[in-house]
Amino acid sequence: MTATHTGRMHSTKRSRPFAEGLTAFAAVMLMIAGVLDICRGVMAIAEDDVFVSTRDYVFQFDLTGWGWVHLALGAVAVLVSLGLFQESLWARVAGVAIAGLIIVANFLSLPYYPVWSIVMIAFSAFIIWALCVVRRDDSG
């Protein structure tokens, strides 16, 4: 038995609209999550009356402290999302990490702004999904 070659030239660059679409989706979602986290951080630093005051919470920090945490995470998320638009591998890894940290921060600050924390947890979960679902050979 011998293998025959059909004579067709196979392109080394494969079409990857699925991978590009999910990376773009994650980049946009991370950009939005970052901007919203920056806004939340500014509101908390200014000690806005939007936040709920909960007593006897295990992870109780000062509202200003949570504001700085959210502001820093939001700023890093915006920077990482810019790298995702370039489809960089470092940005994919950092995007998963920063989205995970946003989930943790929103879980820990759940009593201060409960509904929004749950929304941001879901938002970040979609970001992680979009960055992890693309196969390695599809990412370029």
Side-chain angles (χ1 to χ4, degrees), residues 39-68:
C39 292
R40 181 178 180 176
V42 169
M43 288 188 320
I45 292 168
E47 296 186 14
D48 201 351
D49 293 335
V50 172
F51 296 97
V52 177
S53 177
T54 304
R55 294 184 134 160
D56 300 326
Y57 182 53
V58 175
F59 303 109
Q60 185 173 6
F61 289 134
D62 181 35
L63 186 59
T64 304
W66 277 121
W68 284 108

Side-chain angles (χ1 to χ4, degrees), residues 33-43 67 70-76 78:
V35 168
L36 292 175
D37 229 16
I38 289 170
C39 292
R40 181 178 180 176
V42 169
M43 288 188 320
H70 285 285
L71 184 68
L73 286 173
V76 172
V78 168

Side-chain angles (χ1 to χ4, degrees), residues 56-138:
D56 300 326
Y57 182 53
V58 175
F59 303 109
Q60 185 173 6
F61 289 134
D62 181 35
L63 186 59
T64 304
W66 277 121
W68 284 108
V69 167
H70 285 285
L71 184 68
L73 286 173
V76 172
V78 168
L79 293 174
V80 169
S81 71
L82 296 175
L84 283 173
F85 283 116
Q86 301 296 319
E87 297 183 13
S88 301
L89 179 61
W90 70 265
R92 288 174 54 99
V93 173
V96 171
I98 197 70
L101 289 173
I102 289 173
I103 287 174
V104 171
N106 278 287
F107 175 76
L108 295 177
S109 64
L110 196 63
Y112 297 106
Y113 209 20
V115 174
W116 189 247
S117 292
I118 291 170
V119 168
M120 289 300 288
I121 288 169
F123 223 63
S124 298
F126 277 120
I127 293 166
I128 292 172
W129 171 80
L131 291 174
C132 290
V133 75
V134 178
R135 291 186 312 256
R136 185 175 178 188
D137 59 340
D138 287 345

